[in-house]
Amino acid sequence: MSRRTDHTDPESLENFLRPLVAQFGCDLEAAEVTPIGKRRLLRVLVDRDGGINLDDVADVTRAISKALDADEVMGDGAYTLEVSSPGVDRPLTLPRHWRRNVTRLVEVTLVAGGKVTGRIKSATDEAAELDVKGRPRTIAYGDITKAKIQIEFNRPAGNDEAESAADGVQEEN
């Protein structure tokens, strides 16, 4: 008798995928199953310090696909597996998101009201230090309701490293 599990609720699915993704030194940022006609789309977002490239995403995709097939997590129905890195427009909600965006320009909406725009200079587990018009400002994450990276087409000199984000590897099952 084959073991059959249903991990398609978000928490259970993430708990199933997290250790697989961690084997590659990555963090699971999100996993969701969306119906698309007669099929389902399993979208998995992964990231890590220093960024993730297309080869990394391909390795993670193969490992996830193999584990899903072995455990029959997705059942008998057809599905598409899509693994990618989060886009730059993802909100900064965890300390690691802030750490991974040091040197980028961010717009922060404060709990107390108002917005602050500045360049991320550093990030700890409790707060981020921004350069706001040449002055340092430390903002605790608990004081933030929303934070998003601002797209810059002409980043200041010294901050023009190549982007390493990978955008989607799909596998049909």
Side-chain angles (χ1 to χ4, degrees), residues 36-122:
I36 49 172
K38 293 180 180 181
R39 302 179 65 89
R40 293 166 292 159
L41 172 64
L42 170 55
R43 181 172 286 134
V44 179
L45 298 179
V46 297
D47 202 3
R48 73 166 155 228
D49 290 358
I52 188 166
N53 64 39
L54 202 51
D55 290 335
D56 299 327
V57 171
D59 291 341
V60 171
T61 301
R62 281 190 291 274
I64 290 173
S65 180
K66 184 177 178 180
L68 290 173
D69 291 345
D71 200 68
E72 298 182 24
V73 171
M74 295 299 291
D76 295 330
Y79 68 94
T80 300
L81 170 63
E82 177 184 291
V83 179
S84 64
S85 64
V88 72
D89 61 342
R90 153 195 70 200
L92 305 181
T93 57
L94 298 170
R96 69 176 181 245
H97 300 160
W98 288 85
R99 185 177 65 245
R100 290 174 182 159
N101 284 286
V102 167
T103 76
R104 292 191 172 265
L105 192 64
V106 64
E107 182 181 81
V108 177
T109 304
L110 300 170
V111 171
K115 293 184 179 185
V116 175
T117 300
R119 191 162 305 282
I120 304 171
K121 297 309 247 177
S122 65

